[in-house]
Amino acid sequence: MRIDVVTVFPEYLAPLDLSLIGRARERGLLDLNVHDLRRWTHDVHHSVDGAPAGGGAGMVMKPQPWGECLDELVPEDGEARPRLLVTSPAGRPFTQALARELAAEPWLMFACGRYEGIDQRVVDHAAERMEVTEVSIGDYVLFGGEVAVLAIVEAVSRLLPGVLGNAASLDDESHNAGLLEAPAYTRPAEWRGREVPPVLLSGDHGKVDRWRRDQALLRTARARPDLLARLEAGSLDQRDRRL
Ligand code: 6GU
């Protein structure tokens, strides 16, 4: 997969060199390029923002640098077009389902909004040439989209074939679809007077599965009742219903 990220703070994306994403890049599974938006400015101050039309607080990112940037990175005569993701607290909520959708794309491009966002005409113009999705990582406000891109790139990368060492962990997740994971334990069997739940040491895989399912349901009911309410009735088994 190819990923391009356009930002006014390229250093903010440095963590993408690390850990499993860094490894995926080294192994050629991920072709990731970070671009400084100021490269497409022409004034001595390399300015990328302006006062909001209509007044109000904050600054809006000017259309000119974004327009020239997209023209260069996505040539009009080019065969391929990226799916453009514009980060914004006003975007579509990022979920595991959207991560799966994005993992199936050959080319993603992220436009990191800063300040009060990007002039809307950039988005509308780009949407005539490529698929554009405005995306948010949650109901809170960040200074800019860079941290959101880190989260999205990580969630998408681990779904790419060959990136995750143990593909079974992906299977486990879909198996548990829509529920939070059960708590996890490792050795020692007793630590500071607290034991690993005996069922996990019983060797009875049926019982372990059932225990994990019950814990997942309880955790979800406590922390995310909204998720539980959204579960399809058909995905609950007889023993789930009694819980
Ligand atoms: Cl994608 N950008 C900004 N600036 N704030 C956010 C966000 C994105 N998602 C949640 N809050």
Side-chain angles (χ1 to χ4, degrees), residues 12-35:
Y12 233 103
L13 283 303
L16 295 177
D17 290 333
L18 304 176
S19 187
L20 288 163
I21 294 177
R23 178 100 61 83
R25 292 173 75 181
E26 282 166 16
R27 288 163 64 207
L29 300 170
L30 200 58
D31 170 19
L32 197 148
N33 313 282
V34 178
H35 310 271

Side-chain angles (χ1 to χ4, degrees), residues 1-4 28-32 79-85 92 94 96-110 129-134 152-153 155-161 163:
M1 173 184 279
R2 173 176 171 185
I3 300 181
D4 291 273
L29 300 170
L30 200 58
D31 170 19
L32 197 148
E79 290 279 287
R81 296 287 161 99
R83 171 127 172 218
L84 182 65
L85 296 146
R92 170 174 161 189
F94 183 65
Q96 190 66 24
L98 183 51
R100 280 191 288 269
E101 197 181 309
L102 299 182
E105 302 275 359
W107 184 8
L108 301 178
M109 185 170 290
F110 290 91
R129 300 187 301 154
M130 62 198 99
E131 186 176 357
V132 180
T133 307
E134 290 181 82
I152 295 169
V153 168
V156 171
S157 300
R158 62 189 288 286
L159 297 178
L160 299 178
V163 170

Side-chain angles (χ1 to χ4, degrees), residues 86-90 113-115 135-146 148-149 152:
V86 181
T87 62
S88 160
R114 276 261 150 187
Y115 318 109
V135 65
S136 160
I137 59 163
D139 293 336
Y140 41 80
V141 181
L142 304 170
F143 284 133
E146 286 76 9
V149 169
I152 295 169

Side-chain angles (χ1 to χ4, degrees), residues 25-232:
R25 292 173 75 181
E26 282 166 16
R27 288 163 64 207
L29 300 170
L30 200 58
D31 170 19
L32 197 148
N33 313 282
V34 178
H35 310 271
D36 187 342
L37 180 69
R38 293 189 205 275
R39 209 178 106 199
W40 291 278
T41 58
H42 304 296
D43 62 308
V44 285
H45 302 294
H46 302 285
S47 69
V48 291
D49 59 338
M59 296 293 259
V60 177
M61 296 188 100
K62 303 200 295 187
Q64 171 271 318
W66 281 110
E68 291 185 28
C69 163
L70 291 172
D71 289 347
E72 181 179 330
L73 297 181
V74 190
E76 199 67 62
D77 55 0
E79 290 279 287
R81 296 287 161 99
R83 171 127 172 218
L84 182 65
L85 296 146
V86 181
T87 62
S88 160
R92 170 174 161 189
F94 183 65
T95 60
Q96 190 66 24
L98 183 51
R100 280 191 288 269
E101 197 181 309
L102 299 182
E105 302 275 359
W107 184 8
L108 301 178
M109 185 170 290
F110 290 91
C112 293
R114 276 261 150 187
Y115 318 109
E116 298 303 308
I118 303 173
D119 187 299
Q120 187 61 35
R121 293 168 294 181
V122 173
V123 177
D124 298 342
H125 179 261
E128 289 175 358
R129 300 187 301 154
M130 62 198 99
E131 186 176 357
V132 180
T133 307
E134 290 181 82
V135 65
S136 160
I137 59 163
D139 293 336
Y140 41 80
V141 181
L142 304 170
F143 284 133
E146 286 76 9
V147 166
V149 169
L150 289 176
I152 295 169
V153 168
E154 183 159 327
V156 171
S157 300
R158 62 189 288 286
L159 297 178
L160 299 178
V163 170
L164 204 64
N166 182 6
S169 21
L170 290 180
D171 283 354
D172 268 20
E173 281 164 24
S174 57
H175 180 247
N176 219 19
L179 293 178
L180 305 182
E181 291 259 19
Y185 299 84
T186 184
R187 283 183 293 205
E190 194 201 305
W191 180 76
R192 297 192 177 176
R194 293 158 190 270
E195 293 188 338
V196 170
V199 60
L200 296 179
L201 306 175
S202 70
D204 183 334
H205 296 299
K207 275 195 180 158
V208 169
D209 286 351
R210 186 64 244 174
W211 181 85
R212 287 197 173 133
R213 176 87 182 163
D214 291 346
Q215 292 296 315
L217 286 160
L218 285 170
R219 262 193 168 177
T220 308
R222 286 194 192 115
R224 295 293 305 275
D226 58 311
L227 291 183
L228 211 53
R230 253 193 281 154
L231 269 192
E232 293 163 50

